[in-house]
Amino acid sequence: MGEKSTDEKVINLGEARLRAHDHIVRGTAADGQLRAFAMSGRETVQEMRDRHHTSNVVTAALGRLMMAGQMMGAMSKVDDELITLEVRGDGPVGGLTVTANNRGQVKGFAYHPNVWLPLRPDSHLDVGGAVGAGTLTVIHDIAHMEPYSSTIGLVSGEIGDDLTYYFAESEQIPTSLGVGVLVDVDYTVRQAGGFVIQAMPGCEDYVLDQLERNLAGVRSVTQMLEGGMGPSDMLAHLLRGMDYRELDAMPAQFHCGCDKDRAARCVLALGEREMRDMIRKGESADVHCHFCGASYRFAPEELEALLG
């Protein structure tokens, strides 16, 4: 057999498989003065839509918040940290809740998932109108530590603007954040993705000026995705001329850790007296997970078994 050509490329199948699905890319630019994250999230948002049967505008609103949560989770260096984003507004959706970890996993739900609103005059989904005026709360929860949180008023209800303001106001970090969800005519998720670019301490003004010029030419995340860009392409484009360097990538997905064992613990929390009463009446106990839509039913004989 002949020797392999030195010009022949070796394909990393694991890397190719990762990037063929939702994933988050992490990188730096300007000699470490900027850190950056970008992600593709179509499969993640589609699974959320399938589980919660969300309307178009709620798919966009909750999808944006979920992807922001995934990228914020990816910023954490603590393995067991959970990031929870809570949006509460006076719009018809009522509220959105998302929880993400630092492994690209996210779950979330909307208070009222079936809200329908007319399109805005620019033909875009009216996410701000669905959310309304209200607050955004970011909660950091680390095992064996007291959770800490920060709450700000919503700027627009469009999610991206609100989180950009959160970073500037609560964490004092200059941040550019964009998230977008494009819903197709058949209500499926056509595109979903986002990016976060942050200035590190000591970042020089000329770096921020260059970043501002680069961002000025970007209309939307979904337009970049529609143009065939993946997360790596988006960061290379947004950070062009700034010596962007990719560090690593991780898979991203919708994931809820609920199962029947955890549901059983919820049933046991009812107390023996309540459970005995249900058994006597021949009633089942039902547990519903708001985050993923799963339901667990415990028949009277299963309640008896739980009580031992």
Side-chain angles (χ1 to χ4, degrees):
M1 294 179 66
E3 294 184 3
K4 289 185 179 180
S5 166
T6 55
D7 295 329
E8 186 176 339
K9 274 192 173 181
V10 177
I11 299 175
N12 185 325
L13 293 178
E15 186 78 4
R17 191 177 297 114
L18 183 154
R19 293 174 189 269
H21 299 282
D22 289 356
H23 62 282
I24 301 170
V25 166
R26 184 171 66 98
T28 65
D31 294 323
Q33 295 186 65
L34 299 174
R35 72 170 180 172
F37 303 81
M39 73 168 292
S40 56
R42 190 196 65 78
E43 295 166 337
T44 300
V45 180
Q46 182 64 52
E47 182 166 354
M48 174 276 292
R49 191 223 173 256
D50 292 342
R51 287 176 175 271
H52 294 304
H53 309 290
T54 49
S55 66
N56 287 0
V57 70
V58 180
T59 296
L62 185 54
R64 291 178 188 178
L65 192 66
M66 286 171 56
M67 292 186 294
Q70 286 171 289
M71 290 186 288
M72 291 172 68
M75 296 176 186
S76 175
K77 297 179 181 178
V78 182
D79 286 343
D80 57 3
E81 181 175 9
L82 293 177
I83 306 291
T84 298
L85 308 179
E86 296 180 344
V87 170
R88 302 290 179 264
D90 60 7
V93 76
L96 308 166
T97 298
V98 159
T99 295
N101 59 27
N102 74 339
R103 299 183 299 280
Q105 297 173 330
V106 69
K107 58 186 179 181
F109 66 93
Y111 282 20
H112 302 293
N114 305 124
V115 170
W116 290 89
L117 291 178
L119 296 176
R120 299 184 332 201
D122 60 4
S123 298
H124 290 154
L125 293 168
D126 191 5
V127 171
V131 172
T135 60
L136 164 68
T137 299
V138 179
I139 304 167
H140 295 264
D141 191 351
I142 301 173
H144 313 301
M145 293 180 61
E146 194 70 25
Y148 63 96
S149 65
S150 180
T151 300
I152 61 161
L154 294 174
V155 175
S156 67
E158 293 285 337
I159 307 302
D161 297 338
D162 305 302
L163 282 161
T164 297
Y165 179 68
Y166 160 78
F167 279 112
E169 183 72 11
S170 295
E171 299 199 3
Q172 306 295 307
I173 302 175
T175 301
S176 297
L177 185 150
V179 280
V181 176
L182 180 62
V183 182
D184 218 331
V185 292
D186 62 355
Y187 308 139
T188 60
V189 179
R190 180 181 174 94
Q191 301 287 358
F195 69 86
V196 178
I197 301 173
Q198 293 188 318
M200 303 303 290
C203 182
E204 299 183 71
D205 288 343
Y206 79 88
V207 173
L208 297 177
D209 291 341
Q210 179 65 52
L211 177 61
E212 186 175 346
R213 286 193 293 271
N214 288 1
L215 292 172
V218 176
R219 288 180 57 189
S220 70
V221 170
T222 53
Q223 186 181 52
M224 288 190 286
L225 294 169
E226 280 284 90
M229 290 187 184
S232 297
D233 305 313
M234 283 195 288
L235 289 184
H237 177 64
L238 296 170
L239 297 168
R240 61 194 182 276
M242 306 180 75
D243 191 27
Y244 165 67
R245 298 186 181 187
E246 184 172 314
L247 299 177
D248 53 39
M250 71 170 74
Q253 62 179 332
F254 185 103
H255 173 79
C256 183
C258 76
D259 55 28
K260 194 152 187 176
D261 287 341
R262 292 192 179 193
R265 292 198 290 271
C266 294
V267 173
L268 286 169
L270 293 171
E272 182 175 356
R273 181 175 178 180
E274 180 71 19
M275 291 172 68
R276 293 288 181 198
D277 188 54
M278 295 176 73
I279 293 168
R280 182 178 59 80
K281 294 177 180 178
E283 297 176 347
S284 297
D286 295 304
V287 177
H288 178 76
C289 177
H290 290 292
F291 279 105
C292 71
S295 293
Y296 303 92
R297 170 161 289 189
F298 295 84
E301 57 270 23
E302 293 177 286
L303 297 178
E304 189 76 59
L306 286 176
L307 290 171

